Amino acid sequence: ISSARQHVEFRSMQDQRSAVTTSLLRLMCDAVLELDSQLRVVDDCPALGNILFHHKGRSLTGSPLWRFVVEEDQDRFSERLAKRSVEGGLDFADMFHVKLQDSWGTVVNMEL
């Protein structure tokens, strides 16, 4: 029982830390989203949808992030993520510039 209780307490602390981190990121960033291991959007991100001029009510959940990267940046985007995963996983804090394309075909410069 003690081990189960410690696990629950540890999980609660992780959830609280994650919520605080997300709150801080939202103060500093135009859009904050979580990606799965396949780089798909985990939860809807209306802020990113607005930046990319997606129709209101259209969810980005399940959309692969690379789908929005302009063709000229796709190789660099893939190489950068591959490098990050070798250096320390996708949790490694780093930013890089990439160009995304909105639903009108306009290029939007972003930092990821």
Side-chain angles (χ1 to χ4, degrees):
I1 295 176
S2 176
S3 176
R5 184 176 194 183
Q6 287 175 339
H7 178 74
V8 169
E9 288 174 358
F10 178 74
R11 188 74 166 145
S12 177
M13 286 182 357
Q14 282 183 319
D15 291 345
Q16 289 174 357
R17 192 172 344 148
S18 178
V20 168
T21 301
T22 300
S23 294
L24 288 172
L25 284 171
R26 285 197 173 118
L27 289 172
M28 299 183 292
C29 302
D30 294 324
V32 177
L33 61 144
E34 182 179 349
L35 303 173
D36 66 14
S37 62
Q38 300 298 311
L39 301 179
R40 292 180 302 233
V41 177
V42 173
D43 292 316
D44 192 25
C45 182
L48 181 61
N50 290 338
I51 291 168
L52 298 176
F53 292 112
H54 281 260
H55 300 290
K56 189 171 184 161
R58 181 178 172 207
S59 174
L60 295 178
T61 302
S63 299
L65 185 61
W66 58 263
R67 181 180 121 202
F68 306 108
V69 177
V70 297
E71 189 174 335
E72 69 187 57
D73 274 5
Q74 288 202 357
D75 287 341
R76 189 170 57 85
F77 176 73
S78 297
E79 288 169 8
R80 188 65 183 252
L81 291 177
K83 179 182 174 190
R84 287 179 70 196
S85 89
V86 168
E87 288 179 350
L90 292 177
D91 292 333
F92 181 76
D94 188 18
M95 289 184 8
F96 59 96
H97 295 277
V98 69
K99 295 174 186 164
L100 302 183
Q101 190 169 22
D102 69 17
S103 63
W104 294 351
T106 304
V107 172
V108 180
N109 293 310
M110 302 286 283
E111 285 183 331
L112 301 178

